[in-house]
Amino acid sequence: MTQTTTIHGEKISLLRVLGPGHVWALGVGIVLVGEYMGWNFSVGKGGAMAALIACWVAGLLYTCVAMIDSEVTSTVAAAGGQYAQAKHIVGPLMAFNVGLFLVFAYTMLEAANAITLGYLIQTVGGMMGMTDAAGEALVLHDKPFIVLTIMFLAWLNYRGVYATLTFNLVITAIAFLAIIILFFAVKPWTTEVLQHEELLTGLPYGWIGVIAALHFGLWYYLGIEGTCQAAEEVRSPARLLPLGTMTGIMTLLIAATMTWFICAGLMPWEYLGQAVTPLFDAARLMDSMPLMVLLFIGTIFSTLASANGCINDASRAWFSMARDRYLPQWFGAVHPKYRTPYRAIVFLVPVAVLFAYYAPLDQVITFSILSGLLGYTFMTFNVVMFRRKWPLGSIDRGYVHPMHPLPALVLLLLCSATYFAVFLGYGTQLMAMMLFFIIASLWFHFHRYRYVRRGDQFSMPWPRPQGDY
Amino acid sequence: MPDISTLNNYQLIEYGAWGLSLLLGLWMLFDTLKTNMTYSEDLLTSSREGEIDDALVIDPPHQGGHR
């Protein structure tokens, strides 16, 4: 599809060109890398059974996230996603924090993906076994590929959202298909290949191991809520955002369960808990070159898709905050030709490169998880306030989630358990992150908010809220 | 700058990656500067939030958001 470059009147906006496949690809694309690597550290925390419990508990958490987010975003259809929701429903200070959670979660995840891609290319270089003239093994360094990954994907994002997310759709679909092919290759209907009876050894660290496993259980689904960042670029947001988000979480629940089933039936938990690329390792155990190549391609594609979606989402959140003057308005510009938030995209490139270049992978991942978790906690009271201020029937909703307020309560409970799990492993980082957000909030409250045009930031023509607010 | 004839294949690939990164970065910077100078700041920052009305026209049976 050719992107138009029309400037209507004296205004430029983001381009509405995305369909349901793009929304699915944005959500699933960001997350699917978690199936290829990262989830298995939950096995190391509490054994394979604990990882399965974490997979399903986190699945429940994210189903609540997807349902709640689908309802709210079908009415607050604006780039910035949860930031725009917070602005309209809770207030400016909450919105500023939620915007920062989003930018941090996605930029850190992008950095983590770039580190992983660099590592994978370095590993392939090592596997090729090239030597120099003196017979010494040659080493392929990861840093150039870390930087190239970020630069290439930022360039793609800069040039237009349609090409960016079509690229994501293709590579995400291939990566998902690779998991399904591997699932059938291990013949799950027999015990010929899979050895669950021998390999599942209960809970080696008891129930505390299950709680600890929750930390990395989030990795199966982290980022699915990013679909709503496409609100101003999707052709029919009220219908397509809930559709893309709900099909996305269904895809991930299937992929996560298949991934656990394959890996837990092929590898002992002691190995699986510290493997770098568990699905690729599973393919290697099948002793089939086509499967190995397919899963290697799947690993690379899922990593690229995740970083690509993260650049898209982080830049939309940064752009939206700037457009409302929560940040310098200069970042709220749209490219007249490509119709993308080009300054936000370019500004976040060095931030991602710095973290990818210098920070250790586990720290970067933990900062991303923590930022995401803070955002999910916000969703719990956000949806309660939304239903109280604008009850069903007072405004049109593209989707109404069932059993309210049960999903919000379940989400809050699971978030609390996950904070405890993160505290067990990364207490210092948790405290440092909290301190950072407190300082940032003080800066916003006492300094930045004076630049915000208070009336302009509320763009949804809703009726006055009900109740005493 | 090292002598190219003394580089091994891996080093060439690494320099290629650095070079491509530099090119892409410079392209984005150059285009950003060019765009900033070609268009007025008012026009570039004229985007406003939540143009959901387009969606209501495109997909009337599934109206959402607001009237």
Side-chain angles (χ1 to χ4, degrees):
Chain A
M1 175 182 277
T2 309
Q3 295 189 353
T4 64
T5 57
T6 314
I7 297 168
H8 40 86
E10 283 298 304
K11 277 189 157 189
I12 317 175
S13 60
L14 300 176
L15 204 57
R16 275 196 194 282
V17 286
L18 303 178
H22 296 105
V23 180
W24 177 88
L26 180 60
V28 177
I30 288 176
V31 190
L32 202 62
V33 66
E35 265 70 340
Y36 277 89
M37 59 192 76
W39 69 271
N40 55 305
F41 296 133
S42 63
V43 177
K45 294 279 182 182
M49 287 306 289
L52 180 64
I53 297 169
C55 168
W56 285 344
V57 170
L60 184 62
L61 184 154
Y62 277 92
T63 305
C64 295
V65 165
M67 289 198 305
I68 290 170
D69 210 40
S70 291
E71 175 174 333
V72 185
T73 206
S74 71
T75 59
V76 190
Q82 292 83 5
Y83 155 76
Q85 298 174 14
K87 192 176 61 175
H88 284 87
I89 297 165
V90 184
L93 185 59
M94 187 73 247
F96 175 75
N97 276 280
V98 170
L100 286 188
F101 300 160
L102 291 168
V103 173
F104 262 84
Y106 292 121
T107 307
M108 294 296 108
L109 193 50
E110 174 196 345
N113 285 315
I115 294 170
T116 308
L117 207 74
Y119 167 81
L120 287 172
I121 291 172
Q122 189 176 34
T123 306
V124 171
M127 284 165 71
M128 289 173 77
M130 288 184 74
T131 54
D132 63 11
E136 292 282 319
L138 294 177
V139 178
L140 190 61
H141 296 97
D142 58 347
K143 300 293 187 199
F145 303 100
I146 289 175
V147 177
L148 180 59
T149 302
I150 294 172
M151 284 298 184
F152 168 68
L153 295 175
W155 174 80
L156 196 62
N157 271 273
Y158 188 105
R159 302 263 303 179
V161 72
Y162 188 82
T164 301
L165 291 187
T166 303
F167 175 68
N168 243 37
L169 179 59
V170 173
I171 61 177
T172 303
I174 292 172
F176 180 56
L177 206 59
I179 296 177
I180 293 176
I181 291 172
L182 181 62
F183 181 73
F184 284 106
V186 299
K187 300 179 186 165
W189 54 88
T190 71
T191 52
E192 196 180 318
V193 180
L194 299 173
Q195 305 294 324
H196 288 109
E197 276 190 34
E198 288 79 20
L199 293 172
L200 291 182
T201 52
L203 300 172
Y205 302 123
W207 284 97
I208 193 73
V210 177
I211 300 281
L214 267 179
H215 177 184
F216 290 105
L218 293 196
W219 217 232
Y220 283 111
Y221 317 96
L222 184 81
I224 181 65
E225 71 284 0
T227 48
C228 60
Q229 296 292 337
E232 285 181 38
E233 290 153 292
V234 72
R235 287 196 295 267
S236 176
R239 186 173 65 93
L240 295 187
L241 289 178
L243 182 69
T245 310
M246 300 304 274
T247 51
I249 189 72
M250 286 178 217
T251 307
L252 292 170
L253 285 165
I254 293 166
T257 308
M258 278 183 176
T259 301
W260 179 90
F261 192 77
I262 296 165
C263 294
L266 283 173
M267 290 169 262
W269 76 273
E270 295 90 338
Y271 173 80
L272 186 57
Q274 48 81 49
V276 177
T277 50
L279 270 176
F280 178 59
D281 291 353
R284 286 167 68 184
L285 287 171
M286 296 297 293
D287 207 20
S288 154
M289 184 53 84
L291 269 182
M292 273 175 60
V293 171
L294 182 66
L295 268 292
F296 180 75
I297 290 171
T299 309
I300 295 277
F301 278 6
S302 65
T303 315
L304 270 177
S306 182
N308 197 27
C310 285
I311 294 174
N312 181 89
D313 283 0
S315 60
R316 268 59 179 179
W318 194 258
F319 160 78
S320 304
M321 291 170 79
R323 197 166 52 172
D324 292 330
R325 303 183 181 216
Y326 282 42
L327 296 169
Q329 200 189 7
W330 189 81
F331 294 114
V334 173
H335 197 292
K337 182 177 176 190
Y338 303 121
R339 308 285 286 275
T340 52
Y342 69 111
R343 287 176 183 164
I345 292 170
V346 170
F347 173 74
L348 291 173
V349 167
V351 179
V353 168
L354 277 175
F355 275 97
Y357 207 93
Y358 294 110
L361 181 61
D362 68 324
Q363 306 273 344
V364 174
I365 288 176
T366 299
F367 280 130
S368 179
I369 288 180
L370 272 174
S371 302
L373 201 54
L374 287 164
Y376 306 145
T377 312
F378 145 76
M379 284 181 192
T380 60
F381 59 85
N382 182 55
V383 74
V384 171
M385 289 177 73
F386 181 55
R387 283 284 184 102
R388 289 180 67 183
K389 288 184 174 184
W390 292 279
L392 296 181
S394 62
I395 51 174
D396 284 345
R397 289 160 156 89
Y399 169 80
V400 176
H401 81 276
M403 293 181 285
H404 175 79
L406 191 62
L409 291 173
V410 171
L411 182 56
L412 185 62
L413 184 74
L414 296 177
C415 282
S416 307
T418 314
Y419 280 120
F420 181 64
V422 175
F423 181 74
L424 290 178
Y426 293 88
T428 313
Q429 285 84 347
L430 181 63
M431 293 302 164
M433 197 98 185
M434 293 297 184
L435 189 65
F436 168 78
F437 283 117
I438 289 169
I439 293 170
S441 297
L442 291 172
W443 173 80
F444 178 75
H445 181 76
F446 289 108
H447 173 71
R448 186 68 213 172
Y449 193 54
R450 77 180 69 147
Y451 298 104
V452 176
R453 287 181 184 162
R454 301 180 187 196
D456 289 355
Q457 57 184 320
F458 303 109
S459 61
M460 299 296 145
W462 292 346
R464 286 183 66 81
Q466 299 181 18
D468 185 21
Y469 289 98
Chain B
M1 191 71 184
D3 179 3
I4 289 180
S5 62
T6 64
L7 295 176
N8 61 50
N9 289 344
Y10 280 1
Q11 285 170 321
L12 282 173
I13 295 170
E14 286 171 12
Y15 277 112
W18 282 122
L20 198 53
S21 301
L22 192 68
L23 264 179
L24 292 168
L26 285 176
W27 186 92
M28 283 188 284
L29 268 183
F30 175 74
D31 190 74
T32 298
L33 291 174
K34 192 180 82 176
T35 306
N36 291 348
M37 287 190 291
T38 309
Y39 299 92
S40 75
E41 193 62 17
D42 283 346
L43 179 71
L44 292 174
T45 56
S46 62
S47 164
R48 292 293 170 261
E49 185 180 272
E51 294 170 340
I52 197 171
D53 293 323
D54 293 353
L56 299 176
V57 175
I58 291 168
D59 190 24
H62 296 277
Q63 287 187 12
H66 61 85
R67 290 187 190 282

